[in-house]
Amino acid sequence: AAARDRLGSRDYEGFLCSLLLPAAARRSSLALRAFNVELAQVKDSVSQKTAGLMRMQFWKNAVEDIFRDGPPAQPVATELWRAVKKHGLTKRWLMRIIAEREKDMEDKAYRSLQELESYSENTQSSLLYLLLECLGVRDIQADHAASHVGKAQGIVTCLRATPYHSRRRKVYLPMDICMLHGASQEDFIRGSGEQRVRDVVYDVASQAHVHLQHARSFGKNVPATATPAFLYTVALEDYLQRVRKVHFDAFHPSLQKRNPLLPVHLYLRSWRTTF
């Protein structure tokens, strides 16, 4: 229950998406998202890198133990073990998420948009491949769509977190795009709404949009049973529309508020067989 509460506050949209999945996949999806949140918050919750790396090592060992049928007595690990047993989940995807989160402990800005996409593929897309497995889908077209949706999700997450990071004097947006527009780290730390900062946000947001379009291009060939895995696209579109409305000012106060209609939009989309 505590893990579920934490999931509801740390990954609200993901939590809602999990609740709308078919019953057979719901509990396993919540376990995967809780696992993801556990890893994602390591970087923020430890003051020393060594402590963070130890936590990552715990999870590497935990996954090894899960596949040996002896999970550690930790609530999220126990739920993950249940999901692995029920759906025959692929160990490689779980390990890839941990490895990428561990690399991210370096706490550096992404050198390029490509680097951010690679991070997103290894974390968010891997999670979607696992979610497809929970839905009993093993399909190459669905995997292609998941790859693009995961990249869009990673890019949007980076954009959405920009005000939060800037308040902590950190900037993670791709350096190549910032340099292209002459936007400095200071511009972001100040929370500037200047045109060069908006141009960076526009370029990064546009790339997320391109990935969503690519994902949709596979849509008609993706089995209907895979569609629930892509419910998160509703939240991504919601953010991209809202940032467009405020002319790509990532610091606009309206973007810090949740869209109260999002649960309704998700619910309506969950009845469709396409995404």
Side-chain angles (χ1 to χ4, degrees):
R4 187 174 284 209
D5 290 345
R6 190 154 71 244
L7 185 58
S9 61
R10 288 282 311 214
D11 180 15
Y12 173 68
E13 287 104 346
F15 180 64
L16 289 179
C17 290
S18 290
L19 296 181
L20 290 167
L21 288 183
R26 203 173 297 147
R27 186 171 170 182
S28 300
S29 164
L30 287 166
L32 285 169
R33 292 202 182 277
F35 165 71
N36 191 46
V37 163
E38 284 280 329
L39 295 174
Q41 61 189 19
V42 169
K43 187 165 142 185
D44 277 350
S45 62
V46 297
S47 51
Q48 271 156 340
K49 193 178 150 195
T50 324
L53 293 175
M54 280 167 67
R55 197 76 200 133
M56 293 300 179
Q57 190 56 50
F58 165 82
W59 279 107
K60 278 188 209 166
N61 296 343
V63 169
E64 292 291 354
D65 291 343
I66 281 167
F67 279 84
R68 287 193 203 104
D69 234 7
Q74 195 268 8
V76 175
T78 308
E79 283 297 305
L80 195 57
W81 169 67
R82 229 194 107 272
V84 165
K85 271 178 78 83
K86 184 174 180 182
H87 308 285
L89 299 181
T90 303
K91 181 178 168 185
R92 182 171 83 252
W93 301 135
L94 292 166
M95 285 306 214
R96 201 163 86 155
I97 296 170
I98 301 170
E100 194 64 31
R101 294 282 189 193
E102 187 174 46
K103 232 167 65 184
D104 194 45
M105 295 292 293
E106 292 299 331
D107 207 28
K108 294 192 180 92
Y110 301 102
R111 282 182 304 233
S112 62
L113 194 48
Q114 209 175 348
E115 206 175 82
L116 171 55
E117 286 175 327
S118 164
Y119 172 77
S120 307
E121 163 72 37
N122 289 335
T123 53
Q124 307 292 1
S125 302
S126 297
L127 193 66
L128 285 171
Y129 302 146
L130 289 160
L131 200 49
L132 286 168
E133 291 182 347
C134 290
L135 291 162
V137 176
R138 279 174 166 79
D139 175 88
I140 192 75
Q141 300 291 338
D143 284 347
H144 283 320
S147 173
H148 286 294
V149 170
K151 284 175 185 157
Q153 190 173 338
I155 293 169
V156 167
T157 301
C158 185
L159 276 176
R160 282 172 69 167
T162 296
Y164 170 83
H165 290 138
S166 297
R167 287 194 296 275
R168 285 156 183 74
R169 302 193 62 78
K170 304 229 182 254
V171 181
Y172 295 111
L173 289 165
M175 287 195 256
D176 60 344
I177 309 283
C178 293
M179 284 164 72
L180 179 70
H181 296 293
S184 68
Q185 286 211 319
E186 250 338 287
D187 288 333
F188 284 98
I189 289 164
R190 281 202 326 271
S192 162
E194 287 171 49
Q195 193 57 48
R196 59 180 178 267
V197 171
R198 290 170 189 248
D199 288 342
V200 170
V201 174
Y202 172 80
D203 279 5
V204 176
S206 297
Q207 191 62 11
H209 181 67
V210 165
H211 281 299
L212 283 178
Q213 283 184 312
H214 278 320
R216 292 234 159 75
S217 72
F218 295 101
K220 52 190 173 297
N221 302 314
V222 168
T225 46
T227 308
F230 304 120
L231 261 179
Y232 207 99
T233 54
V234 175
L236 302 180
E237 285 161 358
D238 177 66
Y239 177 82
L240 291 172
Q241 274 172 350
R242 287 163 70 199
V243 79
R244 193 182 304 131
K245 271 188 193 144
V246 295
H247 310 293
F248 301 94
D249 174 9
F251 298 96
H252 197 279
S254 68
L255 296 175
Q256 310 311 309
K257 298 188 192 88
R258 280 180 187 159
N259 177 356
L261 291 174
L262 188 66
V264 178
H265 294 161
L266 281 167
Y267 179 71
L268 293 173
R269 181 72 66 90
S270 73
W271 285 88
R272 279 172 38 182
T273 53
T274 55
F275 65 94

Tab-separated table of all heavy atoms in Angstrom, residues 104-157:
chain	number	residue	atom	x	y	z
A	104	ASP	N	23.289	7.249	-15.160
A	104	ASP	CA	22.727	8.585	-14.964
A	104	ASP	C	23.124	9.192	-13.615
A	104	ASP	O	22.947	10.388	-13.391
A	104	ASP	CB	21.192	8.509	-15.090
A	104	ASP	CG	20.547	9.874	-15.237
A	104	ASP	OD1	21.055	10.681	-16.031
A	104	ASP	OD2	19.552	10.136	-14.549
A	105	MET	N	23.669	8.359	-12.718
A	105	MET	CA	24.136	8.874	-11.417
A	105	MET	C	25.292	9.872	-11.603
A	105	MET	O	25.621	10.619	-10.700
A	105	MET	CB	24.624	7.731	-10.518
A	105	MET	CG	23.557	6.738	-10.099
A	105	MET	SD	22.317	7.405	-8.981
A	105	MET	CE	23.290	7.690	-7.530
A	106	GLU	N	25.910	9.856	-12.781
A	106	GLU	CA	26.996	10.812	-13.092
A	106	GLU	C	26.492	12.253	-12.996
A	106	GLU	O	27.270	13.177	-12.825
A	106	GLU	CB	27.561	10.560	-14.505
A	106	GLU	CG	28.315	9.251	-14.660
A	106	GLU	CD	29.531	9.145	-13.742
A	106	GLU	OE1	30.134	10.173	-13.395
A	106	GLU	OE2	29.861	8.012	-13.356
A	107	ASP	N	25.162	12.419	-13.196
A	107	ASP	CA	24.538	13.724	-12.992
A	107	ASP	C	25.061	14.806	-13.936
A	107	ASP	O	25.391	15.916	-13.523
A	107	ASP	CB	24.744	14.160	-11.525
A	107	ASP	CG	23.621	15.093	-11.084
A	107	ASP	OD1	22.527	14.974	-11.636
A	107	ASP	OD2	23.856	15.933	-10.206
A	108	LYS	N	25.148	14.474	-15.210
A	108	LYS	CA	25.603	15.454	-16.210
A	108	LYS	C	24.461	15.744	-17.181
A	108	LYS	O	23.570	14.911	-17.362
A	108	LYS	CB	26.777	14.875	-17.009
A	108	LYS	CG	28.052	14.643	-16.205
A	108	LYS	CD	29.207	14.349	-17.171
A	108	LYS	CE	30.505	14.107	-16.423
A	108	LYS	NZ	30.728	12.691	-16.121
A	109	ALA	N	24.558	16.921	-17.823
A	109	ALA	CA	23.578	17.238	-18.867
A	109	ALA	C	23.800	16.283	-20.039
A	109	ALA	O	24.899	15.749	-20.218
A	109	ALA	CB	23.785	18.679	-19.326
A	110	TYR	N	22.747	16.075	-20.822
A	110	TYR	CA	22.904	15.254	-22.034
A	110	TYR	C	23.690	16.076	-23.050
A	110	TYR	O	23.367	17.230	-23.300
A	110	TYR	CB	21.531	14.867	-22.591
A	110	TYR	CG	20.715	14.083	-21.587
A	110	TYR	CD1	19.697	14.699	-20.865
A	110	TYR	CD2	20.990	12.743	-21.349
A	110	TYR	CE1	18.966	13.983	-19.924
A	110	TYR	CE2	20.267	12.021	-20.403
A	110	TYR	CZ	19.265	12.651	-19.697
A	110	TYR	OH	18.554	11.952	-18.757
A	111	ARG	N	24.715	15.453	-23.635
A	111	ARG	CA	25.536	16.216	-24.598
A	111	ARG	C	24.744	16.535	-25.853
A	111	ARG	O	24.989	17.539	-26.503
A	111	ARG	CB	26.780	15.408	-24.971
A	111	ARG	CG	27.863	15.457	-23.905
A	111	ARG	CD	29.067	14.687	-24.350
A	111	ARG	NE	28.678	13.311	-24.673
A	111	ARG	CZ	29.250	12.242	-24.178
A	111	ARG	NH1	30.243	12.371	-23.326
A	111	ARG	NH2	28.862	11.032	-24.520
A	112	SER	N	23.820	15.658	-26.188
A	112	SER	CA	23.055	15.849	-27.423
A	112	SER	C	21.654	15.278	-27.250
A	112	SER	O	21.388	14.511	-26.323
A	112	SER	CB	23.750	15.114	-28.574
A	112	SER	OG	23.774	13.722	-28.287
A	113	LEU	N	20.805	15.654	-28.193
A	113	LEU	CA	19.437	15.126	-28.208
A	113	LEU	C	19.488	13.611	-28.379
A	113	LEU	O	18.691	12.871	-27.780
A	113	LEU	CB	18.665	15.786	-29.349
A	113	LEU	CG	17.150	15.645	-29.381
A	113	LEU	CD1	16.517	15.942	-28.043
A	113	LEU	CD2	16.549	16.553	-30.436
A	114	GLN	N	20.449	13.146	-29.163
A	114	GLN	CA	20.617	11.708	-29.403
A	114	GLN	C	20.915	10.968	-28.088
A	114	GLN	O	20.418	9.863	-27.866
A	114	GLN	CB	21.783	11.525	-30.378
A	114	GLN	CG	21.659	10.289	-31.224
A	114	GLN	CD	22.781	10.212	-32.266
A	114	GLN	OE1	23.517	11.176	-32.496
A	114	GLN	NE2	22.917	9.058	-32.878
A	115	GLU	N	21.717	11.604	-27.232
A	115	GLU	CA	22.063	10.992	-25.939
A	115	GLU	C	20.815	10.884	-25.043
A	115	GLU	O	20.626	9.886	-24.355
A	115	GLU	CB	23.146	11.830	-25.247
A	115	GLU	CG	23.995	11.039	-24.284
A	115	GLU	CD	25.149	11.853	-23.700
A	115	GLU	OE1	24.901	12.603	-22.728
A	115	GLU	OE2	26.278	11.756	-24.205
A	116	LEU	N	19.975	11.924	-25.079
A	116	LEU	CA	18.719	11.902	-24.319
A	116	LEU	C	17.799	10.801	-24.868
A	116	LEU	O	17.149	10.085	-24.101
A	116	LEU	CB	18.026	13.279	-24.394
A	116	LEU	CG	16.603	13.387	-23.836
A	116	LEU	CD1	16.500	12.924	-22.390
A	116	LEU	CD2	16.088	14.833	-23.946
A	117	GLU	N	17.776	10.649	-26.193
A	117	GLU	CA	16.943	9.603	-26.810
A	117	GLU	C	17.437	8.215	-26.421
A	117	GLU	O	16.634	7.315	-26.155
A	117	GLU	CB	16.959	9.748	-28.339
A	117	GLU	CG	16.131	10.921	-28.817
A	117	GLU	CD	16.231	11.133	-30.311
A	117	GLU	OE1	17.300	10.861	-30.897
A	117	GLU	OE2	15.240	11.572	-30.896
A	118	SER	N	18.735	8.060	-26.374
A	118	SER	CA	19.320	6.763	-26.011
A	118	SER	C	18.969	6.422	-24.556
A	118	SER	O	18.589	5.287	-24.239
A	118	SER	CB	20.831	6.829	-26.229
A	118	SER	OG	21.459	5.782	-25.576
A	119	TYR	N	19.072	7.421	-23.675
A	119	TYR	CA	18.690	7.236	-22.262
A	119	TYR	C	17.208	6.832	-22.171
A	119	TYR	O	16.837	5.926	-21.436
A	119	TYR	CB	18.945	8.533	-21.486
A	119	TYR	CG	18.393	8.500	-20.077
A	119	TYR	CD1	19.052	7.803	-19.067
A	119	TYR	CD2	17.200	9.148	-19.756
A	119	TYR	CE1	18.538	7.751	-17.770
A	119	TYR	CE2	16.675	9.107	-18.478
A	119	TYR	CZ	17.355	8.404	-17.483
A	119	TYR	OH	16.835	8.344	-16.215
A	120	SER	N	16.373	7.522	-22.956
A	120	SER	CA	14.918	7.273	-22.936
A	120	SER	C	14.598	5.878	-23.454
A	120	SER	O	13.728	5.185	-22.917
A	120	SER	CB	14.192	8.319	-23.787
A	120	SER	OG	14.562	9.619	-23.373
A	121	GLU	N	15.291	5.458	-24.502
A	121	GLU	CA	15.096	4.107	-25.061
A	121	GLU	C	15.433	3.057	-24.000
A	121	GLU	O	14.686	2.101	-23.795
A	121	GLU	CB	15.988	3.940	-26.307
A	121	GLU	CG	16.218	2.515	-26.766
A	121	GLU	CD	15.001	1.856	-27.403
A	121	GLU	OE1	14.246	2.544	-28.125
A	121	GLU	OE2	14.796	0.652	-27.164
A	122	ASN	N	16.561	3.253	-23.315
A	122	ASN	CA	17.016	2.242	-22.353
A	122	ASN	C	16.170	2.193	-21.082
A	122	ASN	O	16.128	1.163	-20.412
A	122	ASN	CB	18.482	2.481	-21.984
A	122	ASN	CG	19.399	2.140	-23.144
A	122	ASN	OD1	19.062	1.347	-24.008
A	122	ASN	ND2	20.562	2.763	-23.190
A	123	THR	N	15.514	3.305	-20.752
A	123	THR	CA	14.684	3.322	-19.539
A	123	THR	C	13.196	3.179	-19.893
A	123	THR	O	12.593	2.141	-19.639
A	123	THR	CB	14.925	4.608	-18.720
A	123	THR	OG1	14.751	5.750	-19.589
A	123	THR	CG2	16.311	4.634	-18.119
A	124	GLN	N	12.624	4.201	-20.527
A	124	GLN	CA	11.168	4.204	-20.780
A	124	GLN	C	10.739	3.149	-21.795
A	124	GLN	O	9.721	2.477	-21.600
A	124	GLN	CB	10.715	5.598	-21.262
A	124	GLN	CG	11.125	6.741	-20.367
A	124	GLN	CD	10.429	6.738	-19.017
A	124	GLN	OE1	9.634	5.855	-18.722
A	124	GLN	NE2	10.736	7.699	-18.178
A	125	SER	N	11.497	3.000	-22.896
A	125	SER	CA	11.095	1.994	-23.899
A	125	SER	C	11.223	0.589	-23.311
A	125	SER	O	10.358	-0.261	-23.540
A	125	SER	CB	11.933	2.121	-25.181
A	125	SER	OG	11.816	3.412	-25.734
A	126	SER	N	12.282	0.346	-22.533
A	126	SER	CA	12.446	-0.980	-21.909
A	126	SER	C	11.242	-1.306	-21.022
A	126	SER	O	10.762	-2.444	-20.995
A	126	SER	CB	13.728	-1.025	-21.067
A	126	SER	OG	14.863	-0.848	-21.884
A	127	LEU	N	10.771	-0.289	-20.295
A	127	LEU	CA	9.600	-0.480	-19.429
A	127	LEU	C	8.367	-0.848	-20.264
A	127	LEU	O	7.570	-1.708	-19.878
A	127	LEU	CB	9.343	0.809	-18.628
A	127	LEU	CG	8.375	0.704	-17.453
A	127	LEU	CD1	8.922	-0.187	-16.351
A	127	LEU	CD2	8.088	2.095	-16.888
A	128	LEU	N	8.245	-0.201	-21.431
A	128	LEU	CA	7.105	-0.498	-22.313
A	128	LEU	C	7.202	-1.903	-22.907
A	128	LEU	O	6.184	-2.577	-23.078
A	128	LEU	CB	7.015	0.551	-23.435
A	128	LEU	CG	6.470	1.917	-23.009
A	128	LEU	CD1	6.640	2.933	-24.122
A	128	LEU	CD2	4.995	1.832	-22.610
A	129	TYR	N	8.426	-2.363	-23.215
A	129	TYR	CA	8.572	-3.744	-23.724
A	129	TYR	C	8.084	-4.732	-22.654
A	129	TYR	O	7.438	-5.728	-22.961
A	129	TYR	CB	10.034	-4.069	-24.070
A	129	TYR	CG	10.665	-3.153	-25.108
A	129	TYR	CD1	12.016	-2.809	-25.041
A	129	TYR	CD2	9.920	-2.638	-26.165
A	129	TYR	CE1	12.598	-1.970	-25.980
A	129	TYR	CE2	10.499	-1.794	-27.111
A	129	TYR	CZ	11.843	-1.462	-27.013
A	129	TYR	OH	12.410	-0.626	-27.940
A	130	LEU	N	8.402	-4.432	-21.404
A	130	LEU	CA	7.962	-5.288	-20.289
A	130	LEU	C	6.439	-5.237	-20.118
A	130	LEU	O	5.791	-6.242	-19.845
A	130	LEU	CB	8.658	-4.865	-18.992
A	130	LEU	CG	10.155	-5.201	-18.922
A	130	LEU	CD1	10.854	-4.343	-17.877
A	130	LEU	CD2	10.379	-6.683	-18.615
A	131	LEU	N	5.891	-4.047	-20.308
A	131	LEU	CA	4.439	-3.862	-20.188
A	131	LEU	C	3.721	-4.655	-21.285
A	131	LEU	O	2.678	-5.280	-21.033
A	131	LEU	CB	4.118	-2.365	-20.305
A	131	LEU	CG	2.794	-1.860	-19.782
A	131	LEU	CD1	2.521	-2.373	-18.378
A	131	LEU	CD2	2.776	-0.336	-19.783
A	132	LEU	N	4.280	-4.647	-22.488
A	132	LEU	CA	3.711	-5.439	-23.586
A	132	LEU	C	3.724	-6.926	-23.225
A	132	LEU	O	2.770	-7.650	-23.499
A	132	LEU	CB	4.483	-5.198	-24.892
A	132	LEU	CG	4.235	-3.844	-25.574
A	132	LEU	CD1	5.261	-3.595	-26.675
A	132	LEU	CD2	2.822	-3.748	-26.144
A	133	GLU	N	4.812	-7.371	-22.580
A	133	GLU	CA	4.893	-8.770	-22.152
A	133	GLU	C	3.804	-9.091	-21.116
A	133	GLU	O	3.229	-10.171	-21.130
A	133	GLU	CB	6.286	-9.087	-21.592
A	133	GLU	CG	7.356	-9.081	-22.662
A	133	GLU	CD	8.759	-9.437	-22.157
A	133	GLU	OE1	8.982	-9.469	-20.927
A	133	GLU	OE2	9.632	-9.667	-23.009
A	134	CYS	N	3.521	-8.120	-20.237
A	134	CYS	CA	2.435	-8.309	-19.251
A	134	CYS	C	1.078	-8.470	-19.942
A	134	CYS	O	0.179	-9.132	-19.428
A	134	CYS	CB	2.344	-7.120	-18.298
A	134	CYS	SG	3.718	-6.991	-17.150
A	135	LEU	N	0.950	-7.836	-21.102
A	135	LEU	CA	-0.308	-7.910	-21.859
A	135	LEU	C	-0.327	-9.134	-22.786
A	135	LEU	O	-1.257	-9.320	-23.563
A	135	LEU	CB	-0.500	-6.626	-22.685
A	135	LEU	CG	-0.783	-5.356	-21.883
A	135	LEU	CD1	-0.530	-4.117	-22.717
A	135	LEU	CD2	-2.217	-5.356	-21.347
A	136	GLY	N	0.751	-9.927	-22.716
A	136	GLY	CA	0.825	-11.134	-23.552
A	136	GLY	C	1.144	-10.832	-24.999
A	136	GLY	O	0.855	-11.635	-25.896
A	137	VAL	N	1.735	-9.649	-25.258
A	137	VAL	CA	2.044	-9.250	-26.637
A	137	VAL	C	3.535	-9.390	-26.890
A	137	VAL	O	4.357	-8.792	-26.195
A	137	VAL	CB	1.623	-7.768	-26.896
A	137	VAL	CG1	2.040	-7.323	-28.290
A	137	VAL	CG2	0.127	-7.594	-26.691
A	138	ARG	N	3.871	-10.197	-27.889
A	138	ARG	CA	5.258	-10.237	-28.371
A	138	ARG	C	5.180	-10.030	-29.868
A	138	ARG	O	4.928	-10.953	-30.633
A	138	ARG	CB	5.914	-11.571	-27.983
A	138	ARG	CG	6.394	-11.568	-26.535
A	138	ARG	CD	6.913	-12.927	-26.084
A	138	ARG	NE	7.668	-12.863	-24.825
A	138	ARG	CZ	7.134	-12.788	-23.616
A	138	ARG	NH1	5.833	-12.719	-23.491
A	138	ARG	NH2	7.887	-12.761	-22.531
A	139	ASP	N	5.355	-8.786	-30.284
A	139	ASP	CA	5.084	-8.401	-31.671
A	139	ASP	C	6.060	-7.312	-32.088
A	139	ASP	O	6.228	-6.316	-31.379
A	139	ASP	CB	3.628	-7.896	-31.764
A	139	ASP	CG	3.269	-7.363	-33.129
A	139	ASP	OD1	2.829	-8.159	-33.979
A	139	ASP	OD2	3.443	-6.147	-33.350
A	140	ILE	N	6.694	-7.487	-33.238
A	140	ILE	CA	7.754	-6.562	-33.676
A	140	ILE	C	7.220	-5.149	-33.940
A	140	ILE	O	7.871	-4.162	-33.615
A	140	ILE	CB	8.522	-7.134	-34.908
A	140	ILE	CG1	9.803	-6.338	-35.195
A	140	ILE	CG2	7.659	-7.242	-36.138
A	140	ILE	CD1	10.937	-6.605	-34.253
A	141	GLN	N	6.010	-5.037	-34.508
A	141	GLN	CA	5.432	-3.705	-34.779
A	141	GLN	C	5.130	-2.975	-33.467
A	141	GLN	O	5.363	-1.772	-33.342
A	141	GLN	CB	4.140	-3.830	-35.614
A	141	GLN	CG	4.311	-4.496	-36.956
A	141	GLN	CD	5.109	-3.658	-37.946
A	141	GLN	OE1	5.208	-2.446	-37.801
A	141	GLN	NE2	5.684	-4.300	-38.936
A	142	ALA	N	4.607	-3.737	-32.499
A	142	ALA	CA	4.322	-3.143	-31.181
A	142	ALA	C	5.627	-2.679	-30.531
A	142	ALA	O	5.670	-1.617	-29.894
A	142	ALA	CB	3.609	-4.157	-30.288
A	143	ASP	N	6.704	-3.465	-30.705
A	143	ASP	CA	8.013	-3.069	-30.158
A	143	ASP	C	8.533	-1.788	-30.809
A	143	ASP	O	9.096	-0.924	-30.134
A	143	ASP	CB	9.041	-4.197	-30.338
A	143	ASP	CG	8.840	-5.330	-29.343
A	143	ASP	OD1	8.074	-5.138	-28.379
A	143	ASP	OD2	9.443	-6.403	-29.523
A	144	HIS	N	8.360	-1.676	-32.122
A	144	HIS	CA	8.782	-0.443	-32.828
A	144	HIS	C	8.023	0.763	-32.268
A	144	HIS	O	8.608	1.815	-32.000
A	144	HIS	CB	8.518	-0.550	-34.337
A	144	HIS	CG	9.514	-1.389	-35.066
A	144	HIS	ND1	10.864	-1.356	-34.782
A	144	HIS	CD2	9.360	-2.270	-36.088
A	144	HIS	CE1	11.493	-2.195	-35.591
A	144	HIS	NE2	10.607	-2.772	-36.395
A	145	ALA	N	6.705	0.597	-32.107
A	145	ALA	CA	5.884	1.689	-31.556
A	145	ALA	C	6.348	2.030	-30.142
A	145	ALA	O	6.506	3.205	-29.787
A	145	ALA	CB	4.408	1.293	-31.559
A	146	ALA	N	6.622	0.990	-29.341
A	146	ALA	CA	7.061	1.192	-27.950
A	146	ALA	C	8.386	1.943	-27.891
A	146	ALA	O	8.597	2.795	-27.016
A	146	ALA	CB	7.187	-0.151	-27.235
A	147	SER	N	9.273	1.643	-28.829
A	147	SER	CA	10.575	2.317	-28.871
A	147	SER	C	10.374	3.828	-29.029
A	147	SER	O	10.970	4.629	-28.306
A	147	SER	CB	11.409	1.759	-30.026
A	147	SER	OG	12.595	2.514	-30.166
A	148	HIS	N	9.499	4.208	-29.958
A	148	HIS	CA	9.258	5.638	-30.214
A	148	HIS	C	8.478	6.307	-29.077
A	148	HIS	O	8.790	7.435	-28.693
A	148	HIS	CB	8.522	5.830	-31.547
A	148	HIS	CG	9.412	5.620	-32.734
A	148	HIS	ND1	10.470	6.461	-33.027
A	148	HIS	CD2	9.419	4.650	-33.678
A	148	HIS	CE1	11.069	6.025	-34.118
A	148	HIS	NE2	10.469	4.925	-34.534
A	149	VAL	N	7.482	5.611	-28.537
A	149	VAL	CA	6.702	6.193	-27.424
A	149	VAL	C	7.626	6.409	-26.223
A	149	VAL	O	7.570	7.448	-25.558
A	149	VAL	CB	5.495	5.308	-27.044
A	149	VAL	CG1	4.847	5.801	-25.752
A	149	VAL	CG2	4.457	5.295	-28.169
A	150	GLY	N	8.504	5.431	-25.956
A	150	GLY	CA	9.453	5.558	-24.838
A	150	GLY	C	10.380	6.746	-25.014
A	150	GLY	O	10.654	7.481	-24.055
A	151	LYS	N	10.851	6.951	-26.248
A	151	LYS	CA	11.728	8.106	-26.506
A	151	LYS	C	10.974	9.410	-26.286
A	151	LYS	O	11.492	10.345	-25.666
A	151	LYS	CB	12.290	8.040	-27.936
A	151	LYS	CG	13.409	7.018	-28.074
A	151	LYS	CD	13.865	6.892	-29.515
A	151	LYS	CE	14.902	5.783	-29.629
A	151	LYS	NZ	14.986	5.250	-30.976
A	152	ALA	N	9.730	9.471	-26.793
A	152	ALA	CA	8.908	10.680	-26.584
A	152	ALA	C	8.695	10.917	-25.093
A	152	ALA	O	8.795	12.056	-24.604
A	152	ALA	CB	7.560	10.522	-27.287
A	153	GLN	N	8.457	9.837	-24.351
A	153	GLN	CA	8.199	9.967	-22.912
A	153	GLN	C	9.430	10.487	-22.171
A	153	GLN	O	9.328	11.356	-21.308
A	153	GLN	CB	7.779	8.608	-22.346
A	153	GLN	CG	7.270	8.702	-20.929
A	153	GLN	CD	6.697	7.381	-20.445
A	153	GLN	OE1	6.307	6.528	-21.249
A	153	GLN	NE2	6.637	7.197	-19.155
A	154	GLY	N	10.604	9.980	-22.517
A	154	GLY	CA	11.839	10.436	-21.876
A	154	GLY	C	12.111	11.903	-22.151
A	154	GLY	O	12.525	12.656	-21.263
A	155	ILE	N	11.843	12.321	-23.394
A	155	ILE	CA	12.076	13.725	-23.785
A	155	ILE	C	11.109	14.636	-23.031
A	155	ILE	O	11.506	15.670	-22.475
A	155	ILE	CB	11.931	13.891	-25.315
A	155	ILE	CG1	13.070	13.150	-26.039
A	155	ILE	CG2	11.926	15.368	-25.703
A	155	ILE	CD1	12.886	13.025	-27.546
A	156	VAL	N	9.828	14.248	-22.993
A	156	VAL	CA	8.821	15.073	-22.298
A	156	VAL	C	9.127	15.135	-20.797
A	156	VAL	O	9.004	16.192	-20.174
A	156	VAL	CB	7.387	14.544	-22.569
A	156	VAL	CG1	6.374	15.178	-21.619
A	156	VAL	CG2	6.988	14.820	-24.014
A	157	THR	N	9.556	14.016	-20.218
A	157	THR	CA	9.902	13.994	-18.789
A	157	THR	C	11.024	14.985	-18.507
A	157	THR	O	10.980	15.724	-17.517
A	157	THR	CB	10.319	12.564	-18.353
A	157	THR	OG1	9.228	11.684	-18.619
A	157	THR	CG2	10.665	12.496	-16.876
